[in-house]
Amino acid sequence: MATPIIQAKDVWKEYGDNVVLERINLSVMEGEFVSIVGASGCGKSTFLNLLLGNESVSRGQLLLNGDILPNEPGPERGIVFQKYSVFPHLSAVQNVMLSDVFAQSPFVSRLFGKEKQQAYTQAMAMLDKVGLSHAAHKYPAELSGGMQQRLAIAQALMKKPKILLLDEPFGALDPGIRKDMHKLVHQLWQEHKLTIFMITHDLSEGFSLGNRLWVFDKHRHDAQHPERFGAQVTYDIPIAKDIQNLSFTEDMKPVIDASVA
Amino acid sequence: MTRLINKKPSRITRLLLGLLPFIVLIVLYMMASQARLVDNPNDKLLPAMSSFVDAINRMAFEPSRRSGEYLMLADTLASLSRLAMGVGISALIALIVGVANGMVPFVRAPLSPLVTALSLVPPMAILPILFIVFGLGELSKVMLIIIGICPIMIRDLQLRTDALPPEQILKAQTLGASSWQTIIAIVVPQILPKLIEAVRLTLGSAWLFLIAAEAIAATEGLGYRIFLIRRYLAMDVILPYVLWISLLAFVMDWLLRKLSQHAFTWYHTAQGDA
């Protein structure tokens, strides 16, 4: 059997007495698209931070391709946050060129001549793919929220990450723009053979985009001491894309709604 | 009826209203000056406008009888070069130390308490020490400016660095940036417009320290001249000098603002004041 790209073995995350996550046991194969839902403060973001390497596990093991996950962010795991994912002092195309700049210019962080031209051409191709070529020379402040998120995704993909982490990437967008973004993410997922983890508050988004849905919730609850128990993945639901399994969604919805609310 | 808070003056009205207080002040001065001069034609406290014109002519456009220099020009150049050195060196130190403090915990741990402590020392209180250590030359005056404004600028830039969204730093790392690349490509370019703001805000203090140092020990300079001439109650020179210093300060502030708008368009677009 192939090694899972991400495997959690009895992972706990605690801050002092506050247990955020407990006994997480999961494995995710390459190419899966996991949507993560759950109430606010239930540890979804903490889990994503663990995957990013921004925080480390308190107990247990989190494995990336069978090895312990490095304890700092790295190029194999791209990320798009809800906001602040692009750099305001760089134009759109400069934002996308940034990973090439980092790779080729360790000291001055600037490219010249042929290398610059090459990075520029590649960045423009990527911008074209996410539909931003017309805004290549604008600064992020001049772009709408949806365009900024497209830019953030384009920027992250230039590094060709194996894993793409999305922290409520469409949370601040209008419903119409959201639909376009769903299409884009779905298309990029299949083209680049990405493994995606996406936190969302929108249940239908979770169902329609991913091929797997996790619900984070507390398994046990102590009313006197709410921080005593951490959250777990209470539902791990495979979503069969080709069958359009609507009845399944409808059945599950009340249960999940209750735990998300 | 429109509420008062919703009424806005037109362009011309605004301009006239802006000029009004200045005109009122000038007229008041002239009336007071006139009244005193009628009593005593030799009064030095509130000289007439003609005395100002004479004094400006003498200081700015005629070579000094003693040294052959144009005094106001020489004073201005001396003061501005001290100010530029003091502020420039402070800005450079503040940029390096502020960003390093904000980004590198192992730099911050030893340096941050030191900067905080230094910023609490009243600079004027150690002016004698500076004169003893660095002598009465240019160095001690420049040092006073640096000691006066640098700690504040460092602390400001450190806070600005801290205030950058952590998401950006994380994102840069996922794009393969090293610590150095994160600082040089992500942090410093975003801190530079804040540095200009910090310089604009501390220029006032820089002038204060400059004039104080010049008043105590100098042979030329705007502050030196004012304090020298005070002995003769030469208000006809002091007031134009004060106005000249204010004008210089205003022009420097304006130039820095224009520089920032020109060099950091992205920043001012995001701030909505381009």
Side-chain angles (χ1 to χ4, degrees):
Chain A
M1 194 184 125
T3 333
I5 188 159
I6 286 289
Q7 191 172 19
K9 288 183 178 170
D10 194 30
V11 164
W12 291 65
K13 180 67 188 172
E14 303 157 327
Y15 299 99
D17 282 343
N18 183 0
V19 184
V20 181
L21 298 170
E22 63 175 59
R23 284 181 294 144
I24 307 271
N25 282 294
L26 295 162
S27 60
V28 175
M29 304 306 289
E30 197 170 342
E32 288 201 88
F33 190 141
V34 183
S35 304
I36 303 172
V37 297
S40 301
C42 72
K44 316 185 289 285
S45 292
T46 305
F47 187 73
L48 208 73
N49 276 328
L50 292 177
L51 288 177
L52 180 62
N54 186 29
E55 304 207 31
S56 46
V57 299
S58 309
R59 277 187 259 168
Q61 284 184 320
L62 195 56
L63 304 179
L64 170 71
N65 285 322
D67 298 321
I68 298 281
L69 194 112
N71 64 354
E72 62 176 1
E76 68 285 345
R77 288 154 290 151
I79 186 150
V80 174
F81 295 102
Q82 184 170 4
K83 49 183 186 172
Y84 303 127
S85 277
V86 289
F87 301 106
H89 63 294
L90 299 173
S91 70
V93 66
Q94 285 172 325
N95 261 292
V96 180
M97 284 164 72
L98 201 55
S99 62
D100 283 338
V101 173
F102 286 148
Q104 293 170 37
S105 174
F107 196 69
V108 291
S109 288
R110 232 166 242 279
L111 293 181
F112 302 98
K114 214 173 76 186
E115 286 167 335
K116 184 173 183 177
Q117 196 54 46
Q118 199 179 353
Y120 180 81
T121 316
Q122 285 171 2
M124 286 306 280
M126 179 58 84
L127 279 178
D128 196 36
K129 205 180 279 180
V130 299
L132 275 183
S133 44
H134 63 284
H137 298 284
K138 288 191 172 168
Y139 286 101
E142 300 168 276
L143 303 178
S144 69
M147 288 160 90
Q148 287 189 25
Q149 291 306 76
R150 281 169 192 272
L151 180 58
I153 293 171
Q155 186 185 40
L157 288 182
M158 283 302 281
K159 198 67 200 173
K160 302 196 171 51
K162 288 263 174 253
I163 299 176
L164 187 60
L165 306 171
L166 305 173
D167 191 352
E168 291 184 44
F170 317 129
L173 303 183
D174 297 332
I177 296 167
R178 240 181 227 227
K179 279 266 165 1
D180 295 344
M181 295 297 288
H182 291 169
K183 223 183 282 170
L184 174 69
V185 167
H186 196 264
Q187 179 199 338
L188 291 173
W189 170 46
Q190 303 206 311
E191 257 175 49
H192 293 254
K193 311 223 173 336
L194 294 162
T195 309
I196 299 185
F197 294 83
M198 179 183 73
I199 292 183
T200 175
H201 270 131
D202 181 347
L203 206 54
S204 65
E205 183 173 281
F207 272 110
S208 63
L209 264 184
N211 69 346
R212 198 166 166 186
L213 182 88
W214 291 348
V215 181
F216 273 71
D217 197 9
K218 292 196 179 186
H219 208 61
R220 295 170 288 178
H221 203 85
D222 183 339
Q224 265 72 47
H225 195 175
E227 289 160 3
R228 174 68 185 78
F229 300 111
Q232 289 179 306
V233 174
T234 47
Y235 293 96
D236 182 350
I237 307 159
I239 303 165
K241 270 273 120 73
D242 37 347
I243 310 172
Q244 285 297 324
N245 204 337
L246 282 173
S247 63
F248 171 73
T249 320
E250 295 301 320
D251 287 349
M252 294 305 295
K253 226 174 169 215
V255 183
I256 296 164
D257 274 341
S259 60
V260 171
Chain B
M1 206 181 95
T2 328
R3 289 178 184 79
L4 183 61
I5 51 170
N6 293 328
K7 284 189 187 164
K8 289 185 182 117
S10 73
R11 238 182 100 88
I12 295 169
T13 323
R14 206 168 57 223
L15 194 72
L16 289 177
L17 284 175
L19 282 174
L20 188 64
F22 291 100
I23 295 169
V24 169
L25 277 178
I26 291 171
V27 167
L28 277 179
Y29 177 87
M30 284 164 78
M31 281 161 61
S33 162
Q34 178 77 19
R36 282 185 73 101
L37 287 171
V38 166
D39 277 357
N40 171 12
N42 291 324
D43 180 68
K44 295 200 130 186
L45 201 60
L46 300 178
M49 288 294 156
S50 55
S51 317
F52 287 133
V53 175
D54 284 349
I56 293 171
N57 248 328
R58 198 172 64 244
M59 301 302 291
F61 303 114
E62 285 169 20
S64 154
R65 256 172 291 164
R66 205 160 55 81
S67 61
E69 279 180 317
Y70 291 89
L71 284 181
M72 203 161 167
L73 180 69
D75 287 341
T76 305
L77 288 179
S79 289
L80 283 185
S81 67
R82 286 166 194 150
L83 193 71
M85 263 212 280
V87 172
I89 293 171
S90 302
L92 194 66
I93 296 174
L95 181 66
I96 293 170
V97 178
V99 168
N101 268 357
M103 288 300 293
V104 189
F106 268 96
V107 171
R108 184 189 198 123
L111 275 192
S112 191
L114 178 70
V115 171
T116 309
L118 282 181
S119 73
L120 295 175
V121 176
M124 292 305 294
I126 54 170
L127 184 57
I129 305 179
L130 294 179
F131 282 139
I132 293 168
V133 175
F134 298 110
L136 297 178
E138 294 301 292
L139 187 58
S140 55
K141 300 180 196 70
V142 173
M143 280 304 291
L144 180 70
I145 298 178
I146 294 175
I147 289 173
I149 66 175
C150 198
I152 304 170
M153 288 171 87
I154 292 177
R155 291 180 78 184
D156 184 44
L157 291 189
Q158 179 179 334
L159 289 175
R160 305 290 194 153
T161 307
D162 283 343
L164 286 180
E167 286 92 340
Q168 287 190 11
I169 311 301
L170 292 172
K171 176 96 185 205
Q173 294 176 65
T174 67
L175 297 178
S178 63
S179 301
W180 169 252
Q181 286 174 322
T182 311
I183 289 174
I184 203 71
I186 305 301
V187 178
V188 168
Q190 294 193 65
I191 291 301
L192 282 179
K194 314 275 191 192
L195 177 66
I196 291 190
E197 280 179 2
V199 169
R200 286 177 62 192
L201 285 175
T202 45
L203 259 183
S205 316
W207 274 107
L208 169 74
F209 295 122
L210 173 73
I211 291 173
E214 285 180 345
I216 294 171
T219 52
E220 57 182 353
L222 297 166
Y224 160 76
R225 191 70 53 199
I226 293 178
F227 276 78
L228 179 75
I229 254 162
R230 182 193 55 131
R231 297 177 203 162
Y232 315 113
L233 296 179
M235 288 292 272
D236 54 342
V237 175
I238 294 179
L239 279 177
Y241 259 63
V242 171
L243 285 180
W244 175 236
I245 291 173
S246 313
L247 182 69
L248 286 176
F250 175 80
V251 169
M252 285 163 81
D253 186 70
W254 181 83
L255 282 177
L256 284 170
R257 202 180 71 218
K258 286 289 157 200
L259 170 70
S260 180
Q261 281 174 359
H262 182 74
F264 309 110
T265 320
W266 62 270
Y267 179 72
H268 295 276
T269 315
Q271 302 271 306
D273 61 3

